[in-house]
Amino acid sequence: MTEVETRVGSRWLELREPADAAARSRSLVTTLAAELEGRAHEGAALTIRDRWGESVSHRRIVVHDLGGGGGTMRRWLAPQLPGPQHWVRHDGDSELLHDTAADPVRPTTNGGAVTDETRPGDLTRLAPQDLIGASLVTGSALLDRLTAAEIGRLVGSVVAAACPALLTLTVAGHITLRPSDPWDAVLEAALNDHQRRTLGDRELLGPDAARVAADSFRAVGWSVELAASPWRLGTESAELAGEWLESWVDAACEQRPELGEIGPAYLARRRRQLARGLAVTVHHVDLLALPPRGGR
Ligand SMILES: C[S@@+](CC[C@H](N)C(=O)[O-])C[C@H]1O[C@@H](n2cnc3c(N)ncnc32)[C@H](O)[C@@H]1O
């Protein structure tokens, strides 16, 4: 992991897991599952039983999950994909990978076994050899933490692997709070600037990341589908909404120190409203990239 990257923390990942699962696009997964069914997969052929008890031969799907340290993508996606799967979780946080290495892995809905391995490493330096043998590349809440050059390398590595990529929950740069507040737009703009900040010599893309990734895939003839994947946080997710609001206001004030004068009062006001039913929508975008037909 880059020296500037900070640990996200397993508690934060646990807190956001249900909201992430509810937000990610199901329609992109339907397209992806059909694509995977239709492809000749690399990897060992396995025999499993179908729902009528007949033996059927399936090839194992090998999924490389980029930034998959907490395993949340695997827990959400594996049951929705066909047949046996092997997941390779890449992450710069080796402690997080280690802590989740023994997590139970549920089989797919058609009985396919799911196995898992972890691979510590810095994704800003991802290279084609890291994805050799992949039948699918996934990522969640990752792209907006990268620069244009790093996304270019990531796309180049996926293109070399010639397999689909599902990259979910990239921030879209827009937040809706109901009821609204006169300071919402100012804080939103400051957060967007924070997500596009320069760290060392790295200019993060923040809300521009999904567009840059989509353009990079399209430039080499891949088809790209984008879908909205907003977090919708209400009273049932008040703890997540409260923590998210605090980190949002902190980031905005760090970016524009003059907001320190209004930030604490804004946060206190929003926390009181949260208890009475403040509705928070944090907009994200999911991206599915598919290789051109005949280009496999
Ligand atoms: C917001 S979390 C996403 C949750 C994650 N997809 C999961 O399954 O739990 C982002 C993840 O990307 C990892 N990450 C961010 N930048 C990275 C980098 N440059 N190299 C490796 N991992 C990175 C973090 O350690 C973290 O686990």
Side-chain angles (χ1 to χ4, degrees):
M1 189 171 319
T2 52
E3 62 189 64
V4 285
E5 185 68 46
T6 51
R7 296 198 64 213
V8 289
S10 50
R11 198 187 143 267
W12 171 246
L13 294 178
E14 276 166 29
L15 200 54
R16 62 176 288 169
E17 184 164 356
D20 286 353
R24 292 194 196 97
S25 165
R26 297 264 169 182
S27 91
L28 293 190
V29 174
T30 303
T31 307
L32 171 64
E35 174 78 13
L36 290 171
E37 287 270 22
R39 291 171 64 91
H41 302 303
E42 293 190 10
L46 298 179
T47 300
I48 62 168
R49 299 212 174 271
D50 67 12
R51 60 196 168 107
W52 297 281
E54 298 288 331
S55 285
V56 289
S57 190
H58 265 265
R59 286 189 178 276
R60 189 171 76 151
I61 298 170
V62 179
V63 186
H64 283 251
D65 188 18
L66 307 182
T72 62
M73 186 61 155
R74 189 203 66 218
R75 283 191 286 280
W76 178 76
L77 185 60
Q80 302 182 66
L81 296 182
Q85 298 161 38
H86 181 67
W87 282 68
V88 184
R89 282 187 289 135
H90 299 248
D91 208 286
D93 187 337
S94 37
E95 203 176 312
L96 186 61
L97 287 176
H98 178 263
D99 289 350
T100 52
D103 281 359
V105 184
R106 281 166 48 205
T108 64
T109 41
N110 60 4
V114 180
T115 53
D116 178 78
E117 74 173 80
T118 58
R119 211 175 275 182
D122 182 357
L123 294 169
T124 65
R125 302 197 191 106
L126 192 75
Q129 58 267 29
D130 296 321
L131 301 181
I132 286 173
S135 348
L136 169 65
V137 174
T138 59
S140 189
L142 174 74
L143 288 184
D144 44 67
R145 292 152 190 262
L146 300 179
T147 68
E150 290 158 7
I151 286 186
R153 267 199 295 282
L154 187 154
V155 170
S157 301
V158 173
V159 168
C163 68
L166 180 66
L167 302 164
T168 64
L169 296 176
T170 303
V171 295
H174 189 45
I175 296 150
T176 317
L177 296 111
R178 292 285 175 269
S180 61
D181 184 285
W183 286 100
D184 289 349
V186 176
L187 287 159
E188 178 186 283
L191 178 70
N192 287 338
D193 290 348
H194 187 265
Q195 288 178 322
R196 291 189 183 101
R197 69 197 178 284
T198 302
L199 284 176
D201 60 353
R202 302 174 64 233
E203 281 180 42
L204 305 186
L205 282 178
D208 305 320
R211 179 187 49 76
V212 168
D215 288 350
S216 306
F217 278 116
R218 287 183 180 128
V220 290
W222 283 42
S223 69
V224 173
E225 208 179 320
L226 298 170
S229 51
W231 269 0
R232 295 189 194 283
L233 312 179
T235 40
E236 74 297 340
S237 18
E239 191 182 355
L240 174 62
E243 293 221 5
W244 177 83
L245 270 169
E246 188 173 336
S247 64
W248 176 44
V249 173
D250 280 355
C253 295
E254 182 188 317
Q255 188 65 26
R256 294 204 202 149
E258 69 275 17
L259 291 176
E261 285 183 21
I262 61 101
Y266 176 90
L267 186 57
R269 194 159 63 243
R270 286 320 211 169
R271 278 191 182 285
R272 281 195 301 277
Q273 291 170 339
L274 205 50
R276 297 200 299 268
L278 175 69
V280 180
T281 307
V282 184
H283 298 268
H284 301 106
V285 60
D286 289 1
L287 179 158
L288 175 65
L290 300 177
R293 299 261 162 213
R296 295 169 185 171

